Amino acid sequence: GQQLNQSPQSMFIQEGEDVSMNCTSSSIFNTWLWYKQEPGEGPVLLIALYKAGELTSNGRLTAQFGITRKDSFLNISASIPSDVGIYFCAGQLLRDSNYQLIWGAGTKLIIKP
Amino acid sequence: DAGITQSPRHKVTETGTPVTLRCHQTENHRYMYWYRQDPGHGLRLIHYSYGVKDTDKGEVSDGYSVSRSKTEDFLLTLESATSSQTSVYFCAISGARVEQFFGPGTRLTVL
């Protein structure tokens, strides 16, 4: 089936550092979504991207839809403790007249004490 | 926040027993989804619905069935629960087939 490669799998960072994560695939996507999940809760939508090259911000978060439409990037600037959680990318593609949402395995963000 | 509730939030059951999980939405969204989440696998789609009585299989549908008799309710049934179905189950809804909004999850343990 379709696959999304999300990296890194986990990150240990110091408070105040910038964070970067990405998702790549061999498939072309129509839409990219970025979610955050905190322990014991469902994923929450952070940013949605709809066209190649699009750059969208949500506070300290910035995401980009790759120009090839096969990848997307999420950056978090000046990380704070509440950024801890698991970040998921999801890409939507049209296949056999049906839209499919393909999920990355997640990037776990951990703040060093 | 999207109005999505899941019940029960936690359940412990024994192998071989039937289990039904409920997802209820107040957003009148057309599409509803059931996912399971396991360490190392991320979110995997079990079944989805594109309207009342209209459902289809996802990538991990074996051992699960669904029903949608009303727009607001989507039920997931494990006919005979197995230990491999121990997982966290999430319901999601979508009105535009793009952004999906998730419920709080149900933690199911099959002993």
Side-chain angles (χ1 to χ4, degrees), chain B residues 48-88:
Chain B
Y48 66 98
S49 169
Y50 46 96
V52 174
K53 298 191 188 304
D54 292 324
T55 65
D56 207 348
K57 296 178 180 180
E59 65 175 305
V60 291
S61 59
D62 287 349
Y64 302 95
S65 62
V66 291
S67 65
R68 191 168 178 200
S69 59
K70 298 185 290 184
T71 299
E72 57 266 35
D73 290 326
F74 193 32
L75 304 180
L76 176 70
T77 298
L78 291 65
E79 301 290 347
S80 177
T82 67
S83 59
S84 64
Q85 294 176 311
T86 292
S87 187
V88 181

Side-chain angles (χ1 to χ4, degrees), chain A residues 2 30 91-102, chain B residues 30-31 33 45 48 50 55-57 97:
Chain A
Q2 307 291 342
N30 300 321
Q92 186 203 42
L93 49 76
L94 184 62
R95 182 184 180 196
D96 299 331
S97 301
N98 288 315
Y99 286 104
Q100 294 185 11
L101 200 60
I102 311 299
Chain B
R30 177 181 176 186
Y31 299 95
Y33 310 82
L45 183 65
Y48 66 98
Y50 46 96
T55 65
D56 207 348
K57 296 178 180 180
R97 302 194 76 180

Side-chain angles (χ1 to χ4, degrees), chain B residues 11-20 63 77-82 85 108-111:
Chain B
K11 186 170 182 67
V12 179
T13 191
E14 294 187 350
T15 298
T17 61
V19 176
T20 296
T77 298
L78 291 65
E79 301 290 347
S80 177
T82 67
Q85 294 176 311
L108 176 68
T109 301
V110 183
L111 301 176

Side-chain angles (χ1 to χ4, degrees), chain A residues 17-53:
Chain A
E17 285 183 349
D18 294 344
V19 172
S20 292
M21 61 189 78
N22 67 83
C23 283
T24 61
S25 176
S26 58
S27 300
I28 292 175
F29 291 91
N30 300 321
T31 303
W32 283 97
L33 307 174
W34 284 93
Y35 287 82
K36 179 189 178 186
Q37 185 179 27
E38 297 188 12
E41 299 182 6
V44 174
L45 182 65
L46 299 173
I47 293 177
L49 302 161
Y50 301 102
K51 57 183 180 180

